[in-house]
């Protein structure tokens, strides 16, 4: 979808994804999240598996957050439009994400120039 923006004689054009495109992206991100952690409670088991499993969860949920932040401003967005994900699921995963992120951050040794997956997003 193309939007035109006018301000003091200047005209800018930018493109925004359609609601349907973002809904599809969100559904795909949720599917990927469920592959790593089928339920919020299953994230607890990832702590016992190791940092790579936690990293996979953090990155998968971060993608859900990224797309959700874009789609939530659309008037059409309702949690009921998603088959296997509710607002409550989002809040429970967000809580697990915060703990996992802090654990990974604490367990990641700093080596010279700081480059980590935390800085990619």
């Amino acid at each position: 979808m193309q939007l035109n923006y006018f301000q003091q004689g200047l005209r800018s054009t930018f493109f925004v994804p359609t609601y349907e495109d973002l809904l599809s992206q969100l559904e795909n991100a949720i599917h990927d999240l469920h592959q790593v952690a089928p339920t919020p409670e299953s994230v607890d088991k990832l702590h016992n598996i190791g940092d790579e499993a936690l990293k996979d969860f953090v990155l998968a949920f971060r993608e859900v957050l990224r797309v959700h932040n874009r789609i939530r401003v659309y008037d059409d967005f309702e949690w009921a439009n998603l088959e296997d994900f509710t607002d409550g699921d989002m809040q429970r995963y967000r809580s697990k994400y915060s703990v996992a992120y802090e654990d990974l951050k604490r367990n990641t040794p700093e080596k010279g120039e700081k480059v980590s997956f935390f800085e990619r997003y």
Side-chain angles (χ1 to χ4, degrees), residues 54-92:
L54 280 178
K55 180 180 173 182
D56 291 343
F57 164 70
V58 165
L59 294 176
F61 186 67
R62 188 176 290 167
E63 181 64 12
V64 171
L65 286 173
R66 185 187 71 76
V67 179
H68 175 256
N69 283 336
R70 294 176 69 198
I71 198 171
R72 67 189 176 111
V73 298
Y74 286 71
D75 290 336
D76 292 339
F77 178 71
E78 294 180 14
W79 289 104
N81 294 341
L82 300 170
E83 285 186 32
D84 295 325
F85 209 74
T86 66
D87 185 33
D89 292 333
M90 178 66 111
Q91 298 311 317
R92 287 190 302 279

Side-chain angles (χ1 to χ4, degrees), residues 25-121:
Q25 289 178 31
L26 183 57
E27 288 170 343
N28 290 336
I30 290 168
H31 172 77
D32 292 346
L33 173 64
H34 284 157
Q35 295 298 308
V36 176
T39 65
E41 294 74 25
S42 65
V43 175
D44 296 335
K45 295 176 186 173
L46 299 178
H47 289 273
N48 297 329
I49 296 173
D51 286 352
E52 279 303 311
L54 280 178
K55 180 180 173 182
D56 291 343
F57 164 70
V58 165
L59 294 176
F61 186 67
R62 188 176 290 167
E63 181 64 12
V64 171
L65 286 173
R66 185 187 71 76
V67 179
H68 175 256
N69 283 336
R70 294 176 69 198
I71 198 171
R72 67 189 176 111
V73 298
Y74 286 71
D75 290 336
D76 292 339
F77 178 71
E78 294 180 14
W79 289 104
N81 294 341
L82 300 170
E83 285 186 32
D84 295 325
F85 209 74
T86 66
D87 185 33
D89 292 333
M90 178 66 111
Q91 298 311 317
R92 287 190 302 279
Y93 273 112
R94 188 184 310 260
S95 174
K96 301 294 184 176
Y97 168 84
S98 296
V99 172
Y101 178 85
E102 288 303 318
D103 283 354
L104 283 171
K105 199 170 157 184
R106 184 174 39 254
N107 294 339
T108 302
E110 293 186 32
K111 299 176 185 171
E113 186 178 329
K114 189 175 181 182
V115 178
S116 74
F117 79 94
F118 298 110
E119 296 173 352
R120 291 194 303 199
Y121 297 93

